Amino acid sequence: APTAGSVLFAGTSGILQQDNANWVYDLSTNRLGIGTNSPDATLELSDSTTPPVLDFSDDDVAQPVTSLATADTFGALPSVSTTVGGLRIAGFTDGDANEAVSIFGTLGVTNPTDTTPAVVIRGAKSDGSTGLAALASAETVFQVWNYTTAQATFLGNGNLGLGDTTPAALLTVGSGDKFQVSSGGQALFNGVSTDITTTSGEDLTLVAAGTGTINLNDTVNIGSTITASSLSGSGTQCLQTDNSGLISGTGSAFVTA
């Protein structure tokens, strides 16, 4: 007679069979186990040797990456590592008419709270016990990869690196933190010769916030005419403007090209 909780199936010659070690419905908890006889969730897939993969397939799909999934598979939930764990969400298409994976969140009201996001991607770490803790400032919360190369990195302190996996400021671009924008909005060009160029006929304007100043702490080379609405200085080498706004200099250290 079948054992309580057994899931019966037709075996050899159509004879009803049961496999209570690998396919069980727990009547006391209303849980179904595949690969286990003691499911810990409503549906649990388990394998003692090879981690199970949940596949979604469609006979209309003929995707070419059959080294990862069968040709008719359009989605799969495999493990990242067979020993350490982790879950991978994999999507497959047989063309480029649409994306392979789409994360789509919809808020069910017409005027949601401005600060309530439709999609959240959250990272955390173990708190050393059974709970969770926030990642530390220099630890990585999120990355965007192009196959095997990290292109964008978010750290625990909110820093974002584009082409930089260890961003030292709120925004950095390129390996080595050569261009940075601080949390206060200050831009830093670090260690490289930098040109700021506008297109033909456009002006480049540098404006200090509020009553702040723009500090030029190194040699400034002017290749053409420069004008100013007002200018002041001190000491024996000074710049000055005439009525038309043209800048000239006084003192023995002032040199024109």
Side-chain angles (χ1 to χ4, degrees):
T3 304
S6 294
V7 179
L8 301 179
F9 58 91
T12 305
S13 302
I15 299 174
L16 290 179
Q17 293 182 339
Q18 57 186 343
D19 184 353
N20 294 327
N22 295 297
W23 198 3
V24 171
Y25 182 76
D26 190 330
L27 298 173
S28 64
T29 59
N30 295 324
R31 295 172 177 174
L32 177 64
I34 301 177
T36 177
N37 58 10
S38 56
D40 297 317
T42 302
L43 173 63
E44 181 178 353
L45 308 182
S46 180
D47 193 305
S48 60
T49 55
T50 303
V53 177
L54 180 61
D55 278 3
F56 303 89
S57 63
D58 186 329
D59 289 342
D60 295 326
V61 175
Q63 65 89 14
V65 190
T66 54
S67 60
L68 298 180
T70 57
D72 61 351
T73 297
F74 64 84
L77 298 175
S79 65
V80 176
S81 168
T82 58
T83 55
V84 179
L87 177 68
R88 175 176 287 122
I89 301 174
F92 306 92
T93 71
D94 56 13
D96 59 0
N98 55 266
E99 65 274 18
V101 173
S102 178
I103 300 175
F104 188 18
T106 302
L107 297 175
V109 293
T110 59
N111 186 25
T113 302
D114 292 345
T115 56
T116 300
V119 175
V120 171
I121 299 175
R122 182 174 301 173
K125 66 180 180 180
S126 168
D127 66 356
S129 181
T130 60
L132 297 175
L135 290 152
S137 293
E139 294 172 340
T140 301
V141 176
F142 180 70
Q143 282 187 330
V144 176
W145 285 47
N146 181 7
Y147 190 32
T148 60
T149 303
Q151 304 283 22
T153 299
F154 288 86
L155 298 186
N157 57 9
N159 288 0
L160 167 62
L162 302 179
D164 183 359
T165 58
T166 56
L170 186 65
L171 171 65
T172 67
V173 179
S175 178
D177 303 313
K178 297 302 183 183
F179 171 71
Q180 303 179 23
V181 177
S182 71
S183 58
Q186 182 183 30
L188 174 64
F189 299 86
N190 181 26
V192 294
S193 177
T194 305
D195 293 326
I196 303 177
T197 305
T198 62
T199 59
S200 177
E202 292 185 348
D203 295 330
L204 174 63
T205 304
L206 300 178
V207 180
T211 59
T213 58
I214 298 174
N215 297 315
L216 304 175
N217 297 323
D218 208 335
T219 301
V220 178
N221 296 316
I222 301 172
S224 186
T225 302
I226 184 171
T227 61
S229 59
S230 64
L231 190 68
S232 62
S234 62
T236 58
Q237 291 83 36
C238 298
L239 296 178
Q240 61 188 17
T241 59
D242 59 20
N243 292 334
S244 64
L246 291 176
I247 294 176
S248 60
T250 61
S252 59
F254 181 80
V255 178
T256 58

